Amino acid sequence: MAAGGNAIDIQPQRNVFSAIPDGKVPPDYVPPQMGVMANPQRPVNCPPGLEYLAQIDQLLVNQKVELAEAILGWETNNKYLVKNVMGQQVFYVAEENDCCNRQCCGPSRSFVLHIQDNHGLEVITLKRPLNCSLCCFPCCLQELEVQAPPGNPIGYVIQNWHPYLPKLTIQNEKREDVLKIVGPCCPCKCCADVDFQVVSLDELTQVGNISKQWTGLVQEAFTDADNFGIKFPLDLDVKIKAVLFGACFLIDFMFFEHSGNQ
């Protein structure tokens, strides 16, 4: 989301993922090197790979359109390109999942998302356990663990039960509450962006937002390929930036992912 509330147009990249087998990221895979963000110097106490986040206050997330999903309704592993506001690639994201989990559980499925830097090194891992969502009961709430580097938890995204508003809490590695995310009563809007506000714990001060951007009638109706803009304070702890980045994917699965089998 650009400053002033204006949506930033994200143009999908073509043929970037054509060599990536569904569900597998080859160990020697290196994301495309055209228009990538330059390597910044890593600040003190910053996990390797998160130095990219230390220098920016916005991210653009573009999900690949899958023809198998659009035509056959066959759920595939999600893949994303992540860019800065200058259009330079920052990260590449690939879902790891099995066919049975994707087809049977749809958007509620557990998943592991591998986030690679521009050198093909995995710098962030997102893990979501399988919890059956029931909107009427405060049980089986959604949770996401953010690891950076992989295997080292740096924060969590926890769903909060609310009768009509989507609410999430951002926690640090000690599971201490840091920020909250509050979405609209109806997250499904036609021809408009959908904003999830990042707010202080008392919910009185907005410090950023995660915006699901309208991608057009055809793409919205026939695919689950979504575009997001993420905005956070430039001086925010880089680990919390990474957790907010992870929250974007949990929001995508919870509210905007749909399956042809459901």
Side-chain angles (χ1 to χ4, degrees), residues 89-134:
Q89 181 176 315
V90 183
F91 297 115
Y92 164 77
V93 186
E95 178 186 1
E96 176 189 347
N97 224 321
D98 60 81
C99 180
C100 182
N101 190 17
R102 294 196 309 270
Q103 307 314 317
C104 295
C105 300
S108 299
R109 64 186 181 267
S110 61
F111 62 70
V112 177
L113 293 182
H114 301 282
I115 302 177
Q116 298 178 337
D117 65 11
N118 292 322
H119 301 286
L121 300 176
E122 184 172 348
V123 295
I124 305 174
T125 302
L126 307 179
K127 292 188 174 182
R128 177 201 191 187
L130 178 62
N131 286 326
C132 297
S133 299
L134 296 173

mmCIF file of all heavy atoms in Angstrom, residues 89-134:
data_model
loop_
_atom_site.group_PDB
_atom_site.id
_atom_site.type_symbol
_atom_site.label_atom_id
_atom_site.label_comp_id
_atom_site.label_asym_id
_atom_site.label_seq_id
_atom_site.Cartn_x
_atom_site.Cartn_y
_atom_site.Cartn_z
ATOM 1 N N GLN A 89 13.084 -7.174 -6.904
ATOM 2 C CA GLN A 89 12.766 -8.397 -6.173
ATOM 3 C C GLN A 89 13.539 -8.447 -4.867
ATOM 4 O O GLN A 89 14.734 -8.190 -4.816
ATOM 5 C CB GLN A 89 13.109 -9.620 -7.020
ATOM 6 C CG GLN A 89 12.789 -10.945 -6.340
ATOM 7 C CD GLN A 89 13.051 -12.132 -7.240
ATOM 8 O OE1 GLN A 89 12.679 -12.110 -8.419
ATOM 9 N NE2 GLN A 89 13.698 -13.156 -6.711
ATOM 10 N N VAL A 90 12.834 -8.792 -3.785
ATOM 11 C CA VAL A 90 13.432 -8.911 -2.461
ATOM 12 C C VAL A 90 13.471 -10.369 -2.019
ATOM 13 O O VAL A 90 14.484 -10.854 -1.525
ATOM 14 C CB VAL A 90 12.653 -8.061 -1.429
ATOM 15 C CG1 VAL A 90 13.318 -8.135 -0.054
ATOM 16 C CG2 VAL A 90 12.543 -6.615 -1.892
ATOM 17 N N PHE A 91 12.339 -11.076 -2.186
ATOM 18 C CA PHE A 91 12.245 -12.472 -1.769
ATOM 19 C C PHE A 91 11.454 -13.274 -2.796
ATOM 20 O O PHE A 91 10.699 -12.722 -3.604
ATOM 21 C CB PHE A 91 11.529 -12.602 -0.413
ATOM 22 C CG PHE A 91 12.224 -11.938 0.735
ATOM 23 C CD1 PHE A 91 11.636 -10.865 1.395
ATOM 24 C CD2 PHE A 91 13.457 -12.397 1.183
ATOM 25 C CE1 PHE A 91 12.260 -10.256 2.465
ATOM 26 C CE2 PHE A 91 14.094 -11.788 2.255
ATOM 27 C CZ PHE A 91 13.499 -10.719 2.897
ATOM 28 N N TYR A 92 11.643 -14.573 -2.736
ATOM 29 C CA TYR A 92 10.827 -15.538 -3.476
ATOM 30 C C TYR A 92 10.239 -16.498 -2.454
ATOM 31 O O TYR A 92 10.943 -16.954 -1.539
ATOM 32 C CB TYR A 92 11.683 -16.294 -4.493
ATOM 33 C CG TYR A 92 11.040 -17.549 -5.035
ATOM 34 C CD1 TYR A 92 10.055 -17.480 -6.001
ATOM 35 C CD2 TYR A 92 11.424 -18.810 -4.567
ATOM 36 C CE1 TYR A 92 9.452 -18.636 -6.495
ATOM 37 C CE2 TYR A 92 10.831 -19.960 -5.058
ATOM 38 C CZ TYR A 92 9.855 -19.869 -6.018
ATOM 39 O OH TYR A 92 9.263 -21.003 -6.502
ATOM 40 N N VAL A 93 8.948 -16.804 -2.549
ATOM 41 C CA VAL A 93 8.249 -17.626 -1.560
ATOM 42 C C VAL A 93 7.619 -18.824 -2.244
ATOM 43 O O VAL A 93 6.943 -18.679 -3.269
ATOM 44 C CB VAL A 93 7.153 -16.811 -0.832
ATOM 45 C CG1 VAL A 93 6.529 -17.639 0.292
ATOM 46 C CG2 VAL A 93 7.723 -15.510 -0.275
ATOM 47 N N ALA A 94 7.831 -20.009 -1.679
ATOM 48 C CA ALA A 94 7.244 -21.230 -2.230
ATOM 49 C C ALA A 94 6.645 -22.060 -1.111
ATOM 50 O O ALA A 94 7.264 -22.261 -0.059
ATOM 51 C CB ALA A 94 8.288 -22.039 -2.992
ATOM 52 N N GLU A 95 5.433 -22.542 -1.338
ATOM 53 C CA GLU A 95 4.752 -23.397 -0.372
ATOM 54 C C GLU A 95 5.228 -24.841 -0.511
ATOM 55 O O GLU A 95 5.418 -25.343 -1.618
ATOM 56 C CB GLU A 95 3.239 -23.344 -0.592
ATOM 57 C CG GLU A 95 2.445 -24.254 0.338
ATOM 58 C CD GLU A 95 0.963 -24.303 0.006
ATOM 59 O OE1 GLU A 95 0.547 -23.634 -0.966
ATOM 60 O OE2 GLU A 95 0.217 -25.014 0.707
ATOM 61 N N GLU A 96 5.416 -25.499 0.617
ATOM 62 C CA GLU A 96 5.701 -26.927 0.636
ATOM 63 C C GLU A 96 4.486 -27.648 1.217
ATOM 64 O O GLU A 96 4.103 -27.395 2.362
ATOM 65 C CB GLU A 96 6.931 -27.228 1.484
ATOM 66 C CG GLU A 96 7.234 -28.712 1.626
ATOM 67 C CD GLU A 96 8.328 -29.014 2.633
ATOM 68 O OE1 GLU A 96 9.024 -28.076 3.046
ATOM 69 O OE2 GLU A 96 8.472 -30.190 3.021
ATOM 70 N N ASN A 97 3.882 -28.515 0.443
ATOM 71 C CA ASN A 97 2.686 -29.210 0.901
ATOM 72 C C ASN A 97 2.482 -30.457 0.062
ATOM 73 O O ASN A 97 3.056 -30.602 -1.018
ATOM 74 C CB ASN A 97 1.454 -28.297 0.795
ATOM 75 C CG ASN A 97 0.573 -28.369 2.020
ATOM 76 O OD1 ASN A 97 0.384 -29.440 2.585
ATOM 77 N ND2 ASN A 97 0.056 -27.230 2.440
ATOM 78 N N ASP A 98 1.644 -31.366 0.546
ATOM 79 C CA ASP A 98 1.343 -32.566 -0.223
ATOM 80 C C ASP A 98 -0.031 -32.430 -0.860
ATOM 81 O O ASP A 98 -0.876 -31.649 -0.432
ATOM 82 C CB ASP A 98 1.397 -33.823 0.650
ATOM 83 C CG ASP A 98 0.405 -33.779 1.803
ATOM 84 O OD1 ASP A 98 -0.791 -34.082 1.576
ATOM 85 O OD2 ASP A 98 0.814 -33.419 2.928
ATOM 86 N N CYS A 99 -0.249 -33.209 -1.893
ATOM 87 C CA CYS A 99 -1.467 -33.106 -2.694
ATOM 88 C C CYS A 99 -2.717 -33.354 -1.870
ATOM 89 O O CYS A 99 -3.710 -32.641 -1.990
ATOM 90 C CB CYS A 99 -1.389 -34.086 -3.865
ATOM 91 S SG CYS A 99 -2.829 -34.072 -4.938
ATOM 92 N N CYS A 100 -2.685 -34.377 -1.017
ATOM 93 C CA CYS A 100 -3.863 -34.726 -0.216
ATOM 94 C C CYS A 100 -4.263 -33.581 0.702
ATOM 95 O O CYS A 100 -5.444 -33.248 0.815
ATOM 96 C CB CYS A 100 -3.568 -35.992 0.591
ATOM 97 S SG CYS A 100 -4.969 -36.565 1.594
ATOM 98 N N ASN A 101 -3.290 -32.973 1.356
ATOM 99 C CA ASN A 101 -3.562 -31.860 2.264
ATOM 100 C C ASN A 101 -4.184 -30.688 1.521
ATOM 101 O O ASN A 101 -5.157 -30.074 1.973
ATOM 102 C CB ASN A 101 -2.267 -31.436 2.957
ATOM 103 C CG ASN A 101 -2.493 -30.445 4.088
ATOM 104 O OD1 ASN A 101 -3.593 -30.283 4.588
ATOM 105 N ND2 ASN A 101 -1.431 -29.776 4.489
ATOM 106 N N ARG A 102 -3.621 -30.363 0.355
ATOM 107 C CA ARG A 102 -4.140 -29.237 -0.431
ATOM 108 C C ARG A 102 -5.565 -29.475 -0.893
ATOM 109 O O ARG A 102 -6.423 -28.596 -0.792
ATOM 110 C CB ARG A 102 -3.241 -28.967 -1.637
ATOM 111 C CG ARG A 102 -1.849 -28.485 -1.315
ATOM 112 C CD ARG A 102 -1.182 -27.882 -2.552
ATOM 113 N NE ARG A 102 -1.246 -28.763 -3.698
ATOM 114 C CZ ARG A 102 -0.337 -29.669 -4.001
ATOM 115 N NH1 ARG A 102 0.708 -29.831 -3.204
ATOM 116 N NH2 ARG A 102 -0.453 -30.420 -5.086
ATOM 117 N N GLN A 103 -5.849 -30.670 -1.423
ATOM 118 C CA GLN A 103 -7.164 -30.916 -2.010
ATOM 119 C C GLN A 103 -8.236 -31.119 -0.940
ATOM 120 O O GLN A 103 -9.384 -30.700 -1.111
ATOM 121 C CB GLN A 103 -7.119 -32.144 -2.934
ATOM 122 C CG GLN A 103 -6.032 -32.104 -3.997
ATOM 123 C CD GLN A 103 -5.947 -30.778 -4.732
ATOM 124 O OE1 GLN A 103 -6.958 -30.176 -5.102
ATOM 125 N NE2 GLN A 103 -4.717 -30.313 -4.954
ATOM 126 N N CYS A 104 -7.883 -31.770 0.161
ATOM 127 C CA CYS A 104 -8.887 -32.098 1.187
ATOM 128 C C CYS A 104 -9.140 -30.942 2.152
ATOM 129 O O CYS A 104 -10.269 -30.744 2.601
ATOM 130 C CB CYS A 104 -8.455 -33.332 1.973
ATOM 131 S SG CYS A 104 -8.370 -34.843 0.984
ATOM 132 N N CYS A 105 -8.101 -30.206 2.475
ATOM 133 C CA CYS A 105 -8.235 -29.158 3.491
ATOM 134 C C CYS A 105 -8.349 -27.763 2.898
ATOM 135 O O CYS A 105 -8.774 -26.827 3.593
ATOM 136 C CB CYS A 105 -7.055 -29.212 4.457
ATOM 137 S SG CYS A 105 -6.918 -30.772 5.340
ATOM 138 N N GLY A 106 -7.978 -27.604 1.631
ATOM 139 C CA GLY A 106 -8.141 -26.314 0.968
ATOM 140 C C GLY A 106 -7.436 -25.185 1.711
ATOM 141 O O GLY A 106 -6.314 -25.331 2.185
ATOM 142 N N PRO A 107 -8.093 -24.039 1.874
ATOM 143 C CA PRO A 107 -7.472 -22.881 2.528
ATOM 144 C C PRO A 107 -7.135 -23.114 3.996
ATOM 145 O O PRO A 107 -6.313 -22.395 4.561
ATOM 146 C CB PRO A 107 -8.539 -21.784 2.381
ATOM 147 C CG PRO A 107 -9.422 -22.242 1.279
ATOM 148 C CD PRO A 107 -9.433 -23.732 1.341
ATOM 149 N N SER A 108 -7.776 -24.101 4.638
ATOM 150 C CA SER A 108 -7.528 -24.372 6.055
ATOM 151 C C SER A 108 -6.310 -25.259 6.272
ATOM 152 O O SER A 108 -5.994 -25.601 7.409
ATOM 153 C CB SER A 108 -8.760 -25.037 6.690
ATOM 154 O OG SER A 108 -9.897 -24.194 6.602
ATOM 155 N N ARG A 109 -5.635 -25.645 5.208
ATOM 156 C CA ARG A 109 -4.552 -26.611 5.312
ATOM 157 C C ARG A 109 -3.363 -26.083 6.115
ATOM 158 O O ARG A 109 -3.118 -24.873 6.171
ATOM 159 C CB ARG A 109 -4.073 -27.006 3.918
ATOM 160 C CG ARG A 109 -3.455 -25.890 3.082
ATOM 161 C CD ARG A 109 -3.160 -26.395 1.679
ATOM 162 N NE ARG A 109 -2.538 -25.419 0.787
ATOM 163 C CZ ARG A 109 -3.220 -24.640 -0.033
ATOM 164 N NH1 ARG A 109 -4.549 -24.694 -0.053
ATOM 165 N NH2 ARG A 109 -2.582 -23.795 -0.837
ATOM 166 N N SER A 110 -2.655 -27.029 6.699
ATOM 167 C CA SER A 110 -1.361 -26.681 7.270
ATOM 168 C C SER A 110 -0.394 -26.428 6.121
ATOM 169 O O SER A 110 -0.616 -26.885 4.997
ATOM 170 C CB SER A 110 -0.848 -27.819 8.155
ATOM 171 O OG SER A 110 -0.690 -29.002 7.389
ATOM 172 N N PHE A 111 0.676 -25.700 6.395
ATOM 173 C CA PHE A 111 1.657 -25.471 5.332
ATOM 174 C C PHE A 111 2.996 -25.061 5.919
ATOM 175 O O PHE A 111 3.097 -24.659 7.088
ATOM 176 C CB PHE A 111 1.182 -24.419 4.326
ATOM 177 C CG PHE A 111 0.946 -23.038 4.906
ATOM 178 C CD1 PHE A 111 1.997 -22.241 5.331
ATOM 179 C CD2 PHE A 111 -0.341 -22.527 4.997
ATOM 180 C CE1 PHE A 111 1.773 -20.968 5.854
ATOM 181 C CE2 PHE A 111 -0.571 -21.258 5.511
ATOM 182 C CZ PHE A 111 0.498 -20.478 5.941
ATOM 183 N N VAL A 112 4.010 -25.173 5.095
ATOM 184 C CA VAL A 112 5.323 -24.588 5.353
ATOM 185 C C VAL A 112 5.645 -23.713 4.148
ATOM 186 O O VAL A 112 5.573 -24.174 3.006
ATOM 187 C CB VAL A 112 6.410 -25.658 5.536
ATOM 188 C CG1 VAL A 112 7.778 -24.995 5.725
ATOM 189 C CG2 VAL A 112 6.098 -26.557 6.730
ATOM 190 N N LEU A 113 5.966 -22.455 4.395
ATOM 191 C CA LEU A 113 6.377 -21.544 3.330
ATOM 192 C C LEU A 113 7.860 -21.271 3.473
ATOM 193 O O LEU A 113 8.343 -20.870 4.543
ATOM 194 C CB LEU A 113 5.590 -20.230 3.392
ATOM 195 C CG LEU A 113 4.092 -20.286 3.099
ATOM 196 C CD1 LEU A 113 3.486 -18.893 3.158
ATOM 197 C CD2 LEU A 113 3.813 -20.918 1.752
ATOM 198 N N HIS A 114 8.588 -21.508 2.389
ATOM 199 C CA HIS A 114 10.027 -21.265 2.367
ATOM 200 C C HIS A 114 10.278 -19.929 1.670
ATOM 201 O O HIS A 114 9.886 -19.740 0.514
ATOM 202 C CB HIS A 114 10.743 -22.381 1.617
ATOM 203 C CG HIS A 114 10.516 -23.741 2.200
ATOM 204 N ND1 HIS A 114 11.169 -24.191 3.332
ATOM 205 C CD2 HIS A 114 9.681 -24.754 1.826
ATOM 206 C CE1 HIS A 114 10.778 -25.419 3.616
ATOM 207 N NE2 HIS A 114 9.869 -25.789 2.720
ATOM 208 N N ILE A 115 10.937 -19.019 2.362
ATOM 209 C CA ILE A 115 11.204 -17.687 1.824
ATOM 210 C C ILE A 115 12.701 -17.573 1.555
ATOM 211 O O ILE A 115 13.519 -17.679 2.474
ATOM 212 C CB ILE A 115 10.733 -16.590 2.799
ATOM 213 C CG1 ILE A 115 9.229 -16.750 3.069
ATOM 214 C CG2 ILE A 115 11.049 -15.202 2.241
ATOM 215 C CD1 ILE A 115 8.672 -15.767 4.063
ATOM 216 N N GLN A 116 13.043 -17.382 0.281
ATOM 217 C CA GLN A 116 14.436 -17.314 -0.151
ATOM 218 C C GLN A 116 14.824 -15.891 -0.516
ATOM 219 O O GLN A 116 13.990 -15.118 -0.999
ATOM 220 C CB GLN A 116 14.658 -18.211 -1.370
ATOM 221 C CG GLN A 116 14.398 -19.684 -1.135
ATOM 222 C CD GLN A 116 14.605 -20.501 -2.404
ATOM 223 O OE1 GLN A 116 14.528 -19.976 -3.508
ATOM 224 N NE2 GLN A 116 14.883 -21.784 -2.240
ATOM 225 N N ASP A 117 16.106 -15.584 -0.314
ATOM 226 C CA ASP A 117 16.610 -14.291 -0.768
ATOM 227 C C ASP A 117 17.013 -14.404 -2.236
ATOM 228 O O ASP A 117 16.782 -15.431 -2.890
ATOM 229 C CB ASP A 117 17.773 -13.807 0.111
ATOM 230 C CG ASP A 117 19.002 -14.701 0.020
ATOM 231 O OD1 ASP A 117 19.063 -15.586 -0.875
ATOM 232 O OD2 ASP A 117 19.920 -14.525 0.841
ATOM 233 N N ASN A 118 17.625 -13.365 -2.758
ATOM 234 C CA ASN A 118 17.952 -13.335 -4.183
ATOM 235 C C ASN A 118 19.118 -14.246 -4.571
ATOM 236 O O ASN A 118 19.448 -14.360 -5.755
ATOM 237 C CB ASN A 118 18.245 -11.896 -4.617
ATOM 238 C CG ASN A 118 17.001 -11.026 -4.577
ATOM 239 O OD1 ASN A 118 15.917 -11.487 -4.919
ATOM 240 N ND2 ASN A 118 17.153 -9.788 -4.145
ATOM 241 N N HIS A 119 19.742 -14.871 -3.573
ATOM 242 C CA HIS A 119 20.811 -15.827 -3.851
ATOM 243 C C HIS A 119 20.313 -17.265 -3.704
ATOM 244 O O HIS A 119 21.111 -18.204 -3.768
ATOM 245 C CB HIS A 119 21.994 -15.583 -2.908
ATOM 246 C CG HIS A 119 22.576 -14.206 -3.023
ATOM 247 N ND1 HIS A 119 23.354 -13.813 -4.096
ATOM 248 C CD2 HIS A 119 22.473 -13.122 -2.208
ATOM 249 C CE1 HIS A 119 23.726 -12.556 -3.926
ATOM 250 N NE2 HIS A 119 23.198 -12.109 -2.798
ATOM 251 N N GLY A 120 19.012 -17.429 -3.482
ATOM 252 C CA GLY A 120 18.453 -18.764 -3.342
ATOM 253 C C GLY A 120 18.607 -19.352 -1.954
ATOM 254 O O GLY A 120 18.331 -20.538 -1.751
ATOM 255 N N LEU A 121 19.034 -18.552 -0.972
ATOM 256 C CA LEU A 121 19.192 -19.031 0.396
ATOM 257 C C LEU A 121 17.900 -18.825 1.173
ATOM 258 O O LEU A 121 17.315 -17.736 1.131
ATOM 259 C CB LEU A 121 20.343 -18.287 1.092
ATOM 260 C CG LEU A 121 21.729 -18.427 0.456
ATOM 261 C CD1 LEU A 121 22.741 -17.564 1.191
ATOM 262 C CD2 LEU A 121 22.170 -19.883 0.441
ATOM 263 N N GLU A 122 17.464 -19.864 1.875
ATOM 264 C CA GLU A 122 16.252 -19.739 2.667
ATOM 265 C C GLU A 122 16.556 -18.932 3.921
ATOM 266 O O GLU A 122 17.385 -19.326 4.740
ATOM 267 C CB GLU A 122 15.707 -21.118 3.038
ATOM 268 C CG GLU A 122 14.376 -21.048 3.788
ATOM 269 C CD GLU A 122 13.746 -22.423 3.992
ATOM 270 O OE1 GLU A 122 14.227 -23.399 3.363
ATOM 271 O OE2 GLU A 122 12.781 -22.512 4.763
ATOM 272 N N VAL A 123 15.873 -17.801 4.072
ATOM 273 C CA VAL A 123 16.146 -16.895 5.191
ATOM 274 C C VAL A 123 15.000 -16.848 6.194
ATOM 275 O O VAL A 123 15.203 -16.475 7.349
ATOM 276 C CB VAL A 123 16.460 -15.474 4.675
ATOM 277 C CG1 VAL A 123 17.752 -15.476 3.868
ATOM 278 C CG2 VAL A 123 15.321 -14.922 3.825
ATOM 279 N N ILE A 124 13.789 -17.201 5.758
ATOM 280 C CA ILE A 124 12.628 -17.210 6.640
ATOM 281 C C ILE A 124 11.810 -18.468 6.339
ATOM 282 O O ILE A 124 11.651 -18.850 5.178
ATOM 283 C CB ILE A 124 11.731 -15.970 6.449
ATOM 284 C CG1 ILE A 124 12.530 -14.673 6.606
ATOM 285 C CG2 ILE A 124 10.563 -15.983 7.431
ATOM 286 C CD1 ILE A 124 11.729 -13.419 6.281
ATOM 287 N N THR A 125 11.305 -19.092 7.388
ATOM 288 C CA THR A 125 10.384 -20.222 7.239
ATOM 289 C C THR A 125 9.107 -19.910 8.008
ATOM 290 O O THR A 125 9.158 -19.466 9.162
ATOM 291 C CB THR A 125 10.996 -21.527 7.777
ATOM 292 O OG1 THR A 125 12.211 -21.799 7.083
ATOM 293 C CG2 THR A 125 10.049 -22.699 7.575
ATOM 294 N N LEU A 126 7.966 -20.117 7.364
ATOM 295 C CA LEU A 126 6.665 -19.907 7.998
ATOM 296 C C LEU A 126 5.979 -21.256 8.160
ATOM 297 O O LEU A 126 5.883 -22.017 7.194
ATOM 298 C CB LEU A 126 5.789 -18.984 7.148
ATOM 299 C CG LEU A 126 6.392 -17.634 6.728
ATOM 300 C CD1 LEU A 126 5.401 -16.871 5.867
ATOM 301 C CD2 LEU A 126 6.799 -16.817 7.937
ATOM 302 N N LYS A 127 5.515 -21.553 9.374
ATOM 303 C CA LYS A 127 4.862 -22.831 9.639
ATOM 304 C C LYS A 127 3.477 -22.601 10.236
ATOM 305 O O LYS A 127 3.332 -21.897 11.237
ATOM 306 C CB LYS A 127 5.700 -23.685 10.592
ATOM 307 C CG LYS A 127 7.007 -24.179 9.977
ATOM 308 C CD LYS A 127 7.704 -25.187 10.883
ATOM 309 C CE LYS A 127 8.928 -25.786 10.209
ATOM 310 N NZ LYS A 127 9.581 -26.808 11.055
ATOM 311 N N ARG A 128 2.492 -23.203 9.600
ATOM 312 C CA ARG A 128 1.110 -23.115 10.083
ATOM 313 C C ARG A 128 0.596 -24.530 10.352
ATOM 314 O O ARG A 128 0.546 -25.357 9.444
ATOM 315 C CB ARG A 128 0.216 -22.454 9.040
ATOM 316 C CG ARG A 128 -1.261 -22.389 9.433
ATOM 317 C CD ARG A 128 -2.130 -22.222 8.201
ATOM 318 N NE ARG A 128 -3.505 -21.892 8.518
ATOM 319 C CZ ARG A 128 -4.481 -21.822 7.617
ATOM 320 N NH1 ARG A 128 -4.229 -22.077 6.344
ATOM 321 N NH2 ARG A 128 -5.703 -21.510 7.979
ATOM 322 N N PRO A 129 0.217 -24.844 11.596
ATOM 323 C CA PRO A 129 -0.359 -26.161 11.885
ATOM 324 C C PRO A 129 -1.796 -26.244 11.389
ATOM 325 O O PRO A 129 -2.417 -25.222 11.075
ATOM 326 C CB PRO A 129 -0.293 -26.243 13.415
ATOM 327 C CG PRO A 129 -0.374 -24.808 13.860
ATOM 328 C CD PRO A 129 0.335 -24.005 12.805
ATOM 329 N N LEU A 130 -2.312 -27.458 11.312
ATOM 330 C CA LEU A 130 -3.679 -27.658 10.862
ATOM 331 C C LEU A 130 -4.639 -27.426 12.015
ATOM 332 O O LEU A 130 -4.626 -28.134 13.017
ATOM 333 C CB LEU A 130 -3.856 -29.078 10.318
ATOM 334 C CG LEU A 130 -5.268 -29.440 9.847
ATOM 335 C CD1 LEU A 130 -5.707 -28.550 8.691
ATOM 336 C CD2 LEU A 130 -5.331 -30.910 9.434
ATOM 337 N N ASN A 131 -5.472 -26.410 11.899
ATOM 338 C CA ASN A 131 -6.529 -26.112 12.861
ATOM 339 C C ASN A 131 -7.819 -25.883 12.094
ATOM 340 O O ASN A 131 -7.863 -25.038 11.200
ATOM 341 C CB ASN A 131 -6.200 -24.865 13.693
ATOM 342 C CG ASN A 131 -5.139 -25.115 14.730
ATOM 343 O OD1 ASN A 131 -5.052 -26.205 15.284
ATOM 344 N ND2 ASN A 131 -4.301 -24.124 14.993
ATOM 345 N N CYS A 132 -8.850 -26.652 12.429
ATOM 346 C CA CYS A 132 -10.130 -26.496 11.741
ATOM 347 C C CYS A 132 -10.800 -25.211 12.199
ATOM 348 O O CYS A 132 -11.060 -25.026 13.393
ATOM 349 C CB CYS A 132 -11.039 -27.691 12.030
ATOM 350 S SG CYS A 132 -10.389 -29.252 11.412
ATOM 351 N N SER A 133 -11.051 -24.314 11.273
ATOM 352 C CA SER A 133 -11.631 -23.011 11.607
ATOM 353 C C SER A 133 -13.131 -23.117 11.830
ATOM 354 O O SER A 133 -13.862 -23.653 11.001
ATOM 355 C CB SER A 133 -11.346 -22.013 10.481
ATOM 356 O OG SER A 133 -9.973 -21.843 10.299
ATOM 357 N N LEU A 134 -13.578 -22.599 12.956
ATOM 358 C CA LEU A 134 -15.002 -22.529 13.273
ATOM 359 C C LEU A 134 -15.284 -21.123 13.756
ATOM 360 O O LEU A 134 -14.850 -20.720 14.842
ATOM 361 C CB LEU A 134 -15.386 -23.547 14.353
ATOM 362 C CG LEU A 134 -15.213 -25.020 13.979
ATOM 363 C CD1 LEU A 134 -15.465 -25.900 15.204
ATOM 364 C CD2 LEU A 134 -16.155 -25.411 12.849
#
